[in-house]
Amino acid sequence: MNKPEIVVSGARASGKLHIGNYLGALKQWLQLQSDGHTCYFFIADLHGITTPFEPKELHQNTLDVAATYLAAGIDPNKSVFFLQNHVLEHATLAWIFNCITPLGELERMTQFKDKSQNQESINAGLLTYPTLMAADILMYKAAAVPVGEDQVQHVELARVVARKFNSRFGQTFPEPKHLMRDEGLVRIKSLSEPTKKMSKTGDEALLMDDEPEEIMRKLKKAVTGSDASGQNPGAENLLFLLSHFGTKQQTDHFLNLQKAGQLKYSDLKEALAQDISDYFAEFREKKKELLAKPKFLAEVLGDGAAKARKVAQATLLEVKQKTGLL
Ligand code: AQP
């Protein structure tokens, strides 16, 4: 983006963040923050309860995600960093959006279909997740939303909601666009089922704060077999990760071996494990320090919520005036 824009993004507090969250979202957020955009980065705890959860784990996961953002480099002096449920206006705006969004738009969302598949009973929050996400984005009149590939459809829905609101009540919200990294949208695959995306709530994900032995253990088990059509999505996934966490020279070396049919997956996994361990070494230490200071984390989140609330209250007032809500 050439000029400073308003940017909004978040991650669910449904578990520890993994390298998919990092490459798909967090890494881009850090770039946008250092490029001087007006950034709002939040922890989506209300989205976190749309899938099954345990209260104690939710509490711990929220603190963990907060420490992850900060240890990775989100700077509360440069970006507005807050917890979604601390800014009550999000839920109110989401309700108003629910009332102008056709049910069919929500029912066709891929994430709703995927996530409702294995659940005994499907809660209404899972269906209306995208209208809450539209509220998160439009509340701050964002121009751009940096997300991984899996969330693009939800950003498109936020555009639909903005259009519907604007045409019914007058121009209020800009239509946000999803933001891609230079090389395109990122979708890191699961290590055990490489046709699916790596996910917090899916199979064991490679976490940003995994210790070196854990990284090696998980990568050793990574599936690298070819499928019936000769495709090898597991190996492609590992090579893609190497291109991000390793050097260009190292990546070229393994790509050449693959072309020559001489690639030993154990060597690739070992090199990748070392690269990922080194890449996150400083992050791991910073995160441990932060997790030992829950009071500090609470203070940072409180300050961030106060900044976000000011903007949110102004937007909600405008919305109430336009819709006739007293
Ligand atoms: N595998 C992935 N590859 C690239 N990007 C990804 N993201 C998630 N998984 C991948 C991006 O990370 C950001 C935060 O995601 P989220 O927490 O809001 O929820 P999600 O997209 O549903 O992510 P998860 O990890 O799969 O969590 P669960 O299992 O809780 O749903 C988003 O920008 C997302 O695109």
Side-chain angles (χ1 to χ4, degrees), residues 9-15 17-18 20-25 29 44 51 111 115 129 146-151 186-189 197-202:
S9 200
R12 286 182 1 123
S14 46
L17 298 194
H18 50 73
N21 298 130
Y22 177 73
L23 291 178
W29 301 356
T51 42
Q111 181 168 284
K115 288 204 156 123
Y129 179 116
V147 285
E149 190 197 19
D150 60 313
Q151 290 291 343
V186 175
R187 189 184 190 84
I188 304 301
K189 306 287 173 26
K197 74 161 190 159
M198 184 177 284
S199 153
K200 288 189 227 87
T201 50

PDB file of all heavy atoms in Angstrom, residues 9-15 17-18 20-25 29 44 51 111 115 129 146-151 186-189 197-202, ligand 1:
ATOM      1  N   SER A   9      -6.985  -6.551  11.904  1.00  0.00           N
ATOM      2  CA  SER A   9      -6.925  -8.010  11.826  1.00  0.00           C
ATOM      3  C   SER A   9      -6.872  -8.611  13.221  1.00  0.00           C
ATOM      4  O   SER A   9      -6.574  -7.911  14.187  1.00  0.00           O
ATOM      5  CB  SER A   9      -5.720  -8.470  11.002  1.00  0.00           C
ATOM      6  OG  SER A   9      -5.919  -9.795  10.544  1.00  0.00           O
ATOM      7  N   GLY A  10      -7.159  -9.899  13.325  1.00  0.00           N
ATOM      8  CA  GLY A  10      -7.135 -10.561  14.628  1.00  0.00           C
ATOM      9  C   GLY A  10      -6.945 -12.052  14.478  1.00  0.00           C
ATOM     10  O   GLY A  10      -6.943 -12.580  13.360  1.00  0.00           O
ATOM     11  N   ALA A  11      -6.773 -12.727  15.610  1.00  0.00           N
ATOM     12  CA  ALA A  11      -6.700 -14.192  15.602  1.00  0.00           C
ATOM     13  C   ALA A  11      -7.571 -14.705  16.738  1.00  0.00           C
ATOM     14  O   ALA A  11      -7.698 -14.056  17.780  1.00  0.00           O
ATOM     15  CB  ALA A  11      -5.259 -14.659  15.791  1.00  0.00           C
ATOM     16  N   ARG A  12      -8.179 -15.862  16.526  1.00  0.00           N
ATOM     17  CA  ARG A  12      -9.044 -16.446  17.553  1.00  0.00           C
ATOM     18  C   ARG A  12      -8.229 -16.900  18.753  1.00  0.00           C
ATOM     19  O   ARG A  12      -7.097 -17.353  18.580  1.00  0.00           O
ATOM     20  CB  ARG A  12      -9.745 -17.690  16.986  1.00  0.00           C
ATOM     21  CG  ARG A  12     -10.802 -17.331  16.041  1.00  0.00           C
ATOM     22  CD  ARG A  12     -11.601 -18.454  15.445  1.00  0.00           C
ATOM     23  NE  ARG A  12     -11.376 -19.816  15.781  1.00  0.00           N
ATOM     24  CZ  ARG A  12     -12.329 -20.623  16.287  1.00  0.00           C
ATOM     25  NH1 ARG A  12     -13.530 -20.152  16.541  1.00  0.00           N
ATOM     26  NH2 ARG A  12     -12.079 -21.896  16.510  1.00  0.00           N
ATOM     27  N   ALA A  13      -8.861 -16.783  19.938  1.00  0.00           N
ATOM     28  CA  ALA A  13      -8.177 -17.266  21.146  1.00  0.00           C
ATOM     29  C   ALA A  13      -8.553 -18.722  21.381  1.00  0.00           C
ATOM     30  O   ALA A  13      -8.872 -19.120  22.489  1.00  0.00           O
ATOM     31  CB  ALA A  13      -8.577 -16.403  22.336  1.00  0.00           C
ATOM     32  N   SER A  14      -8.493 -19.520  20.315  1.00  0.00           N
ATOM     33  CA  SER A  14      -8.942 -20.915  20.432  1.00  0.00           C
ATOM     34  C   SER A  14      -7.776 -21.873  20.646  1.00  0.00           C
ATOM     35  O   SER A  14      -7.953 -23.082  20.596  1.00  0.00           O
ATOM     36  CB  SER A  14      -9.731 -21.306  19.176  1.00  0.00           C
ATOM     37  OG  SER A  14      -9.029 -20.875  18.024  1.00  0.00           O
ATOM     38  N   GLY A  15      -6.596 -21.348  20.878  1.00  0.00           N
ATOM     39  CA  GLY A  15      -5.426 -22.193  21.103  1.00  0.00           C
ATOM     40  C   GLY A  15      -4.183 -21.374  20.846  1.00  0.00           C
ATOM     41  O   GLY A  15      -4.279 -20.188  20.500  1.00  0.00           O
ATOM     42  N   LEU A  17      -0.942 -19.964  18.929  1.00  0.00           N
ATOM     43  CA  LEU A  17      -0.772 -19.658  17.500  1.00  0.00           C
ATOM     44  C   LEU A  17       0.312 -20.564  16.898  1.00  0.00           C
ATOM     45  O   LEU A  17       1.312 -20.890  17.528  1.00  0.00           O
ATOM     46  CB  LEU A  17      -0.409 -18.189  17.302  1.00  0.00           C
ATOM     47  CG  LEU A  17      -1.442 -17.158  17.777  1.00  0.00           C
ATOM     48  CD1 LEU A  17      -1.133 -15.777  17.216  1.00  0.00           C
ATOM     49  CD2 LEU A  17      -2.874 -17.539  17.408  1.00  0.00           C
ATOM     50  N   HIS A  18       0.065 -20.952  15.640  1.00  0.00           N
ATOM     51  CA  HIS A  18       0.973 -21.872  14.950  1.00  0.00           C
ATOM     52  C   HIS A  18       1.660 -21.146  13.794  1.00  0.00           C
ATOM     53  O   HIS A  18       1.381 -19.968  13.515  1.00  0.00           O
ATOM     54  CB  HIS A  18       0.206 -23.111  14.472  1.00  0.00           C
ATOM     55  CG  HIS A  18      -1.052 -22.799  13.701  1.00  0.00           C
ATOM     56  ND1 HIS A  18      -1.045 -22.305  12.420  1.00  0.00           N
ATOM     57  CD2 HIS A  18      -2.356 -22.885  14.061  1.00  0.00           C
ATOM     58  CE1 HIS A  18      -2.281 -22.134  12.010  1.00  0.00           C
ATOM     59  NE2 HIS A  18      -3.098 -22.468  13.000  1.00  0.00           N
ATOM     60  N   GLY A  20       1.248 -21.409  10.737  1.00  0.00           N
ATOM     61  CA  GLY A  20       0.293 -20.971   9.707  1.00  0.00           C
ATOM     62  C   GLY A  20      -0.243 -19.591  10.059  1.00  0.00           C
ATOM     63  O   GLY A  20      -0.300 -18.691   9.212  1.00  0.00           O
ATOM     64  N   ASN A  21      -0.616 -19.404  11.317  1.00  0.00           N
ATOM     65  CA  ASN A  21      -1.078 -18.078  11.774  1.00  0.00           C
ATOM     66  C   ASN A  21       0.035 -17.053  11.577  1.00  0.00           C
ATOM     67  O   ASN A  21      -0.217 -15.905  11.195  1.00  0.00           O
ATOM     68  CB  ASN A  21      -1.457 -18.088  13.263  1.00  0.00           C
ATOM     69  CG  ASN A  21      -2.598 -19.019  13.605  1.00  0.00           C
ATOM     70  OD1 ASN A  21      -2.506 -19.815  14.525  1.00  0.00           O
ATOM     71  ND2 ASN A  21      -3.680 -18.945  12.868  1.00  0.00           N
ATOM     72  N   TYR A  22       1.263 -17.489  11.840  1.00  0.00           N
ATOM     73  CA  TYR A  22       2.388 -16.553  11.722  1.00  0.00           C
ATOM     74  C   TYR A  22       2.603 -16.124  10.261  1.00  0.00           C
ATOM     75  O   TYR A  22       2.619 -14.926   9.958  1.00  0.00           O
ATOM     76  CB  TYR A  22       3.674 -17.183  12.288  1.00  0.00           C
ATOM     77  CG  TYR A  22       4.868 -16.275  12.124  1.00  0.00           C
ATOM     78  CD1 TYR A  22       4.995 -15.145  12.930  1.00  0.00           C
ATOM     79  CD2 TYR A  22       5.815 -16.498  11.140  1.00  0.00           C
ATOM     80  CE1 TYR A  22       6.053 -14.263  12.754  1.00  0.00           C
ATOM     81  CE2 TYR A  22       6.877 -15.629  10.961  1.00  0.00           C
ATOM     82  CZ  TYR A  22       6.987 -14.517  11.770  1.00  0.00           C
ATOM     83  OH  TYR A  22       8.016 -13.630  11.590  1.00  0.00           O
ATOM     84  N   LEU A  23       2.721 -17.112   9.357  1.00  0.00           N
ATOM     85  CA  LEU A  23       3.016 -16.748   7.963  1.00  0.00           C
ATOM     86  C   LEU A  23       1.796 -16.153   7.257  1.00  0.00           C
ATOM     87  O   LEU A  23       1.930 -15.281   6.396  1.00  0.00           O
ATOM     88  CB  LEU A  23       3.520 -17.972   7.185  1.00  0.00           C
ATOM     89  CG  LEU A  23       4.899 -18.494   7.594  1.00  0.00           C
ATOM     90  CD1 LEU A  23       5.259 -19.728   6.776  1.00  0.00           C
ATOM     91  CD2 LEU A  23       5.988 -17.437   7.421  1.00  0.00           C
ATOM     92  N   GLY A  24       0.596 -16.635   7.633  1.00  0.00           N
ATOM     93  CA  GLY A  24      -0.613 -16.139   6.971  1.00  0.00           C
ATOM     94  C   GLY A  24      -1.021 -14.756   7.450  1.00  0.00           C
ATOM     95  O   GLY A  24      -1.615 -13.983   6.705  1.00  0.00           O
ATOM     96  N   ALA A  25      -0.703 -14.435   8.704  1.00  0.00           N
ATOM     97  CA  ALA A  25      -1.217 -13.176   9.259  1.00  0.00           C
ATOM     98  C   ALA A  25      -0.153 -12.360   9.990  1.00  0.00           C
ATOM     99  O   ALA A  25       0.238 -11.281   9.550  1.00  0.00           O
ATOM    100  CB  ALA A  25      -2.386 -13.492  10.192  1.00  0.00           C
ATOM    101  N   TRP A  29       1.289  -8.447   9.600  1.00  0.00           N
ATOM    102  CA  TRP A  29       0.890  -7.371  10.522  1.00  0.00           C
ATOM    103  C   TRP A  29       2.129  -6.573  10.932  1.00  0.00           C
ATOM    104  O   TRP A  29       2.079  -5.341  11.016  1.00  0.00           O
ATOM    105  CB  TRP A  29       0.261  -7.922  11.801  1.00  0.00           C
ATOM    106  CG  TRP A  29      -0.962  -8.775  11.641  1.00  0.00           C
ATOM    107  CD1 TRP A  29      -1.633  -9.069  10.480  1.00  0.00           C
ATOM    108  CD2 TRP A  29      -1.662  -9.460  12.675  1.00  0.00           C
ATOM    109  NE1 TRP A  29      -2.692  -9.888  10.739  1.00  0.00           N
ATOM    110  CE2 TRP A  29      -2.735 -10.149  12.079  1.00  0.00           C
ATOM    111  CE3 TRP A  29      -1.489  -9.566  14.054  1.00  0.00           C
ATOM    112  CZ2 TRP A  29      -3.635 -10.923  12.820  1.00  0.00           C
ATOM    113  CZ3 TRP A  29      -2.377 -10.336  14.791  1.00  0.00           C
ATOM    114  CH2 TRP A  29      -3.429 -11.003  14.172  1.00  0.00           C
ATOM    115  N   ALA A  44      -9.401 -12.294  19.044  1.00  0.00           N
ATOM    116  CA  ALA A  44     -10.822 -12.566  18.792  1.00  0.00           C
ATOM    117  C   ALA A  44     -11.332 -13.608  19.781  1.00  0.00           C
ATOM    118  O   ALA A  44     -11.539 -14.766  19.433  1.00  0.00           O
ATOM    119  CB  ALA A  44     -11.004 -13.009  17.344  1.00  0.00           C
ATOM    120  N   THR A  51     -16.534 -22.351  18.604  1.00  0.00           N
ATOM    121  CA  THR A  51     -16.261 -23.795  18.562  1.00  0.00           C
ATOM    122  C   THR A  51     -16.121 -24.261  20.021  1.00  0.00           C
ATOM    123  O   THR A  51     -15.879 -23.429  20.906  1.00  0.00           O
ATOM    124  CB  THR A  51     -14.974 -24.095  17.748  1.00  0.00           C
ATOM    125  OG1 THR A  51     -13.969 -23.135  18.096  1.00  0.00           O
ATOM    126  CG2 THR A  51     -15.207 -24.022  16.260  1.00  0.00           C
ATOM    127  N   GLN A 111     -16.131 -21.850   5.751  1.00  0.00           N
ATOM    128  CA  GLN A 111     -15.706 -22.162   7.121  1.00  0.00           C
ATOM    129  C   GLN A 111     -16.872 -22.687   7.957  1.00  0.00           C
ATOM    130  O   GLN A 111     -16.694 -23.588   8.768  1.00  0.00           O
ATOM    131  CB  GLN A 111     -15.083 -20.933   7.795  1.00  0.00           C
ATOM    132  CG  GLN A 111     -14.624 -21.256   9.209  1.00  0.00           C
ATOM    133  CD  GLN A 111     -13.757 -20.187   9.817  1.00  0.00           C
ATOM    134  OE1 GLN A 111     -12.585 -20.050   9.500  1.00  0.00           O
ATOM    135  NE2 GLN A 111     -14.334 -19.412  10.700  1.00  0.00           N
ATOM    136  N   LYS A 115     -16.505 -26.222   9.641  1.00  0.00           N
ATOM    137  CA  LYS A 115     -16.443 -26.317  11.098  1.00  0.00           C
ATOM    138  C   LYS A 115     -17.705 -26.930  11.704  1.00  0.00           C
ATOM    139  O   LYS A 115     -17.663 -27.414  12.829  1.00  0.00           O
ATOM    140  CB  LYS A 115     -16.171 -24.933  11.717  1.00  0.00           C
ATOM    141  CG  LYS A 115     -14.724 -24.499  11.464  1.00  0.00           C
ATOM    142  CD  LYS A 115     -14.221 -23.508  12.470  1.00  0.00           C
ATOM    143  CE  LYS A 115     -12.724 -23.580  12.540  1.00  0.00           C
ATOM    144  NZ  LYS A 115     -11.945 -22.452  12.306  1.00  0.00           N
ATOM    145  N   TYR A 129     -20.673 -15.902  12.732  1.00  0.00           N
ATOM    146  CA  TYR A 129     -19.264 -15.512  12.856  1.00  0.00           C
ATOM    147  C   TYR A 129     -18.897 -14.403  11.854  1.00  0.00           C
ATOM    148  O   TYR A 129     -18.294 -13.391  12.217  1.00  0.00           O
ATOM    149  CB  TYR A 129     -18.443 -16.791  12.615  1.00  0.00           C
ATOM    150  CG  TYR A 129     -16.947 -16.732  12.648  1.00  0.00           C
ATOM    151  CD1 TYR A 129     -16.236 -17.442  13.632  1.00  0.00           C
ATOM    152  CD2 TYR A 129     -16.201 -16.039  11.695  1.00  0.00           C
ATOM    153  CE1 TYR A 129     -14.851 -17.443  13.661  1.00  0.00           C
ATOM    154  CE2 TYR A 129     -14.818 -16.034  11.725  1.00  0.00           C
ATOM    155  CZ  TYR A 129     -14.152 -16.733  12.705  1.00  0.00           C
ATOM    156  OH  TYR A 129     -12.780 -16.730  12.728  1.00  0.00           O
ATOM    157  N   PRO A 146      -5.354  -7.856   6.510  1.00  0.00           N
ATOM    158  CA  PRO A 146      -4.386  -8.900   6.188  1.00  0.00           C
ATOM    159  C   PRO A 146      -4.801 -10.233   6.802  1.00  0.00           C
ATOM    160  O   PRO A 146      -4.919 -10.339   8.022  1.00  0.00           O
ATOM    161  CB  PRO A 146      -3.086  -8.386   6.839  1.00  0.00           C
ATOM    162  CG  PRO A 146      -3.524  -7.453   7.915  1.00  0.00           C
ATOM    163  CD  PRO A 146      -4.881  -6.933   7.557  1.00  0.00           C
ATOM    164  N   VAL A 147      -5.065 -11.237   5.967  1.00  0.00           N
ATOM    165  CA  VAL A 147      -5.498 -12.562   6.453  1.00  0.00           C
ATOM    166  C   VAL A 147      -4.866 -13.653   5.604  1.00  0.00           C
ATOM    167  O   VAL A 147      -4.363 -13.388   4.507  1.00  0.00           O
ATOM    168  CB  VAL A 147      -7.041 -12.745   6.358  1.00  0.00           C
ATOM    169  CG1 VAL A 147      -7.766 -11.968   7.435  1.00  0.00           C
ATOM    170  CG2 VAL A 147      -7.561 -12.380   4.975  1.00  0.00           C
ATOM    171  N   GLY A 148      -4.952 -14.879   6.109  1.00  0.00           N
ATOM    172  CA  GLY A 148      -4.563 -16.033   5.309  1.00  0.00           C
ATOM    173  C   GLY A 148      -5.696 -16.365   4.348  1.00  0.00           C
ATOM    174  O   GLY A 148      -6.790 -15.783   4.433  1.00  0.00           O
ATOM    175  N   GLU A 149      -5.435 -17.332   3.455  1.00  0.00           N
ATOM    176  CA  GLU A 149      -6.407 -17.636   2.400  1.00  0.00           C
ATOM    177  C   GLU A 149      -7.783 -18.043   2.949  1.00  0.00           C
ATOM    178  O   GLU A 149      -8.823 -17.702   2.376  1.00  0.00           O
ATOM    179  CB  GLU A 149      -5.841 -18.761   1.526  1.00  0.00           C
ATOM    180  CG  GLU A 149      -6.643 -19.004   0.277  1.00  0.00           C
ATOM    181  CD  GLU A 149      -6.326 -20.346  -0.344  1.00  0.00           C
ATOM    182  OE1 GLU A 149      -5.787 -21.232   0.345  1.00  0.00           O
ATOM    183  OE2 GLU A 149      -6.643 -20.497  -1.531  1.00  0.00           O
ATOM    184  N   ASP A 150      -7.772 -18.756   4.095  1.00  0.00           N
ATOM    185  CA  ASP A 150      -9.034 -19.285   4.624  1.00  0.00           C
ATOM    186  C   ASP A 150     -10.021 -18.195   5.041  1.00  0.00           C
ATOM    187  O   ASP A 150     -11.214 -18.456   5.157  1.00  0.00           O
ATOM    188  CB  ASP A 150      -8.762 -20.212   5.827  1.00  0.00           C
ATOM    189  CG  ASP A 150      -8.053 -19.488   6.964  1.00  0.00           C
ATOM    190  OD1 ASP A 150      -7.071 -18.783   6.696  1.00  0.00           O
ATOM    191  OD2 ASP A 150      -8.500 -19.611   8.116  1.00  0.00           O
ATOM    192  N   GLN A 151      -9.541 -16.984   5.268  1.00  0.00           N
ATOM    193  CA  GLN A 151     -10.430 -15.922   5.755  1.00  0.00           C
ATOM    194  C   GLN A 151     -10.861 -14.944   4.655  1.00  0.00           C
ATOM    195  O   GLN A 151     -11.623 -14.006   4.933  1.00  0.00           O
ATOM    196  CB  GLN A 151      -9.738 -15.135   6.883  1.00  0.00           C
ATOM    197  CG  GLN A 151      -9.581 -15.915   8.179  1.00  0.00           C
ATOM    198  CD  GLN A 151     -10.919 -16.175   8.867  1.00  0.00           C
ATOM    199  OE1 GLN A 151     -11.921 -15.543   8.578  1.00  0.00           O
ATOM    200  NE2 GLN A 151     -10.926 -17.136   9.770  1.00  0.00           N
ATOM    201  N   VAL A 186      -1.460 -17.131   1.579  1.00  0.00           N
ATOM    202  CA  VAL A 186      -0.716 -18.220   2.207  1.00  0.00           C
ATOM    203  C   VAL A 186      -1.685 -19.212   2.843  1.00  0.00           C
ATOM    204  O   VAL A 186      -2.643 -18.818   3.503  1.00  0.00           O
ATOM    205  CB  VAL A 186       0.230 -17.650   3.293  1.00  0.00           C
ATOM    206  CG1 VAL A 186       0.930 -18.765   4.048  1.00  0.00           C
ATOM    207  CG2 VAL A 186       1.245 -16.721   2.659  1.00  0.00           C
ATOM    208  N   ARG A 187      -1.433 -20.484   2.613  1.00  0.00           N
ATOM    209  CA  ARG A 187      -2.220 -21.535   3.257  1.00  0.00           C
ATOM    210  C   ARG A 187      -1.256 -22.646   3.668  1.00  0.00           C
ATOM    211  O   ARG A 187      -0.861 -23.477   2.841  1.00  0.00           O
ATOM    212  CB  ARG A 187      -3.264 -22.066   2.273  1.00  0.00           C
ATOM    213  CG  ARG A 187      -4.275 -22.995   2.903  1.00  0.00           C
ATOM    214  CD  ARG A 187      -5.205 -23.527   1.813  1.00  0.00           C
ATOM    215  NE  ARG A 187      -6.332 -24.244   2.350  1.00  0.00           N
ATOM    216  CZ  ARG A 187      -7.465 -23.670   2.771  1.00  0.00           C
ATOM    217  NH1 ARG A 187      -7.621 -22.389   2.716  1.00  0.00           N
ATOM    218  NH2 ARG A 187      -8.445 -24.418   3.238  1.00  0.00           N
ATOM    219  N   ILE A 188      -0.842 -22.619   4.923  1.00  0.00           N
ATOM    220  CA  ILE A 188       0.069 -23.648   5.419  1.00  0.00           C
ATOM    221  C   ILE A 188      -0.748 -24.897   5.736  1.00  0.00           C
ATOM    222  O   ILE A 188      -1.810 -24.811   6.348  1.00  0.00           O
ATOM    223  CB  ILE A 188       0.826 -23.166   6.693  1.00  0.00           C
ATOM    224  CG1 ILE A 188       1.575 -21.856   6.413  1.00  0.00           C
ATOM    225  CG2 ILE A 188       1.773 -24.239   7.211  1.00  0.00           C
ATOM    226  CD1 ILE A 188       2.582 -21.913   5.304  1.00  0.00           C
ATOM    227  N   LYS A 189      -0.243 -26.026   5.281  1.00  0.00           N
ATOM    228  CA  LYS A 189      -1.013 -27.264   5.409  1.00  0.00           C
ATOM    229  C   LYS A 189      -0.691 -28.011   6.704  1.00  0.00           C
ATOM    230  O   LYS A 189       0.396 -27.869   7.265  1.00  0.00           O
ATOM    231  CB  LYS A 189      -0.707 -28.182   4.214  1.00  0.00           C
ATOM    232  CG  LYS A 189      -0.920 -27.543   2.858  1.00  0.00           C
ATOM    233  CD  LYS A 189      -2.395 -27.405   2.593  1.00  0.00           C
ATOM    234  CE  LYS A 189      -2.764 -26.638   1.356  1.00  0.00           C
ATOM    235  NZ  LYS A 189      -1.845 -26.581   0.268  1.00  0.00           N
ATOM    236  N   LYS A 197      -5.757 -27.463   5.865  1.00  0.00           N
ATOM    237  CA  LYS A 197      -4.916 -26.382   6.399  1.00  0.00           C
ATOM    238  C   LYS A 197      -4.472 -26.698   7.831  1.00  0.00           C
ATOM    239  O   LYS A 197      -5.181 -27.397   8.569  1.00  0.00           O
ATOM    240  CB  LYS A 197      -5.646 -25.043   6.349  1.00  0.00           C
ATOM    241  CG  LYS A 197      -6.738 -24.886   7.376  1.00  0.00           C
ATOM    242  CD  LYS A 197      -7.084 -23.411   7.589  1.00  0.00           C
ATOM    243  CE  LYS A 197      -8.007 -23.265   8.784  1.00  0.00           C
ATOM    244  NZ  LYS A 197      -8.035 -21.961   9.372  1.00  0.00           N
ATOM    245  N   MET A 198      -3.309 -26.195   8.193  1.00  0.00           N
ATOM    246  CA  MET A 198      -2.886 -26.305   9.589  1.00  0.00           C
ATOM    247  C   MET A 198      -3.842 -25.449  10.404  1.00  0.00           C
ATOM    248  O   MET A 198      -4.182 -24.336  10.000  1.00  0.00           O
ATOM    249  CB  MET A 198      -1.449 -25.802   9.742  1.00  0.00           C
ATOM    250  CG  MET A 198      -0.904 -25.984  11.138  1.00  0.00           C
ATOM    251  SD  MET A 198       0.830 -25.446  11.267  1.00  0.00           S
ATOM    252  CE  MET A 198       1.678 -26.784  10.469  1.00  0.00           C
ATOM    253  N   SER A 199      -4.292 -25.978  11.547  1.00  0.00           N
ATOM    254  CA  SER A 199      -5.315 -25.269  12.305  1.00  0.00           C
ATOM    255  C   SER A 199      -5.094 -25.457  13.805  1.00  0.00           C
ATOM    256  O   SER A 199      -4.577 -26.483  14.231  1.00  0.00           O
ATOM    257  CB  SER A 199      -6.673 -25.827  11.863  1.00  0.00           C
ATOM    258  OG  SER A 199      -7.622 -25.698  12.866  1.00  0.00           O
ATOM    259  N   LYS A 200      -5.518 -24.452  14.582  1.00  0.00           N
ATOM    260  CA  LYS A 200      -5.370 -24.559  16.044  1.00  0.00           C
ATOM    261  C   LYS A 200      -6.215 -25.697  16.577  1.00  0.00           C
ATOM    262  O   LYS A 200      -5.827 -26.379  17.509  1.00  0.00           O
ATOM    263  CB  LYS A 200      -5.854 -23.270  16.720  1.00  0.00           C
ATOM    264  CG  LYS A 200      -4.950 -22.100  16.525  1.00  0.00           C
ATOM    265  CD  LYS A 200      -5.424 -20.966  17.435  1.00  0.00           C
ATOM    266  CE  LYS A 200      -5.472 -19.675  16.671  1.00  0.00           C
ATOM    267  NZ  LYS A 200      -6.730 -19.442  15.969  1.00  0.00           N
ATOM    268  N   THR A 201      -7.410 -25.844  16.003  1.00  0.00           N
ATOM    269  CA  THR A 201      -8.341 -26.828  16.548  1.00  0.00           C
ATOM    270  C   THR A 201      -8.342 -28.131  15.733  1.00  0.00           C
ATOM    271  O   THR A 201      -9.168 -29.000  15.957  1.00  0.00           O
ATOM    272  CB  THR A 201      -9.773 -26.240  16.587  1.00  0.00           C
ATOM    273  OG1 THR A 201     -10.060 -25.681  15.296  1.00  0.00           O
ATOM    274  CG2 THR A 201      -9.898 -25.155  17.621  1.00  0.00           C
ATOM    275  N   GLY A 202      -7.432 -28.250  14.782  1.00  0.00           N
ATOM    276  CA  GLY A 202      -7.364 -29.484  13.994  1.00  0.00           C
ATOM    277  C   GLY A 202      -6.298 -30.409  14.552  1.00  0.00           C
ATOM    278  O   GLY A 202      -6.060 -30.446  15.762  1.00  0.00           O
TER     279      GLY A 202
HETATM  280  N1  AQP B   1      -2.925 -22.760   7.921  1.00  0.00           N
HETATM  281  C1  AQP B   1      -2.919 -21.455   7.744  1.00  0.00           C
HETATM  282  N2  AQP B   1      -2.154 -20.900   6.765  1.00  0.00           N
HETATM  283  C2  AQP B   1      -2.129 -19.542   6.586  1.00  0.00           C
HETATM  284  N3  AQP B   1      -2.829 -18.681   7.346  1.00  0.00           N
HETATM  285  C3  AQP B   1      -3.582 -19.188   8.326  1.00  0.00           C
HETATM  286  N4  AQP B   1      -4.374 -18.626   9.250  1.00  0.00           N
HETATM  287  C4  AQP B   1      -4.931 -19.586  10.014  1.00  0.00           C
HETATM  288  N5  AQP B   1      -4.514 -20.798   9.628  1.00  0.00           N
HETATM  289  C5  AQP B   1      -3.681 -20.594   8.577  1.00  0.00           C
HETATM  290  C6  AQP B   1      -4.574 -17.175   9.377  1.00  0.00           C
HETATM  291  O1  AQP B   1      -4.281 -16.833  10.716  1.00  0.00           O
HETATM  292  C7  AQP B   1      -5.117 -15.733  11.091  1.00  0.00           C
HETATM  293  C8  AQP B   1      -5.748 -16.009  12.409  1.00  0.00           C
HETATM  294  O2  AQP B   1      -6.628 -17.107  12.271  1.00  0.00           O
HETATM  295  P1  AQP B   1      -7.822 -17.282  13.280  1.00  0.00           P
HETATM  296  O3  AQP B   1      -7.290 -17.575  14.596  1.00  0.00           O
HETATM  297  O4  AQP B   1      -8.690 -16.091  13.212  1.00  0.00           O
HETATM  298  O5  AQP B   1      -8.724 -18.453  12.810  1.00  0.00           O
HETATM  299  P2  AQP B   1      -8.599 -19.477  11.703  1.00  0.00           P
HETATM  300  O6  AQP B   1      -8.397 -18.854  10.382  1.00  0.00           O
HETATM  301  O7  AQP B   1      -9.796 -20.358  11.760  1.00  0.00           O
HETATM  302  O8  AQP B   1      -7.278 -20.175  12.186  1.00  0.00           O
HETATM  303  P3  AQP B   1      -6.984 -21.570  12.801  1.00  0.00           P
HETATM  304  O9  AQP B   1      -5.590 -21.575  13.245  1.00  0.00           O
HETATM  305  O10 AQP B   1      -7.421 -22.627  11.874  1.00  0.00           O
HETATM  306  O11 AQP B   1      -7.792 -21.638  14.120  1.00  0.00           O
HETATM  307  P4  AQP B   1      -9.047 -22.457  14.508  1.00  0.00           P
HETATM  308  O12 AQP B   1      -8.675 -23.894  14.396  1.00  0.00           O
HETATM  309  O13 AQP B   1      -9.300 -22.009  15.895  1.00  0.00           O
HETATM  310  O14 AQP B   1     -10.151 -22.067  13.601  1.00  0.00           O
HETATM  311  C9  AQP B   1      -6.131 -15.537   9.967  1.00  0.00           C
HETATM  312  O15 AQP B   1      -5.744 -14.442   9.168  1.00  0.00           O
HETATM  313  C10 AQP B   1      -6.028 -16.816   9.182  1.00  0.00           C
HETATM  314  O16 AQP B   1      -6.313 -16.594   7.806  1.00  0.00           O
END
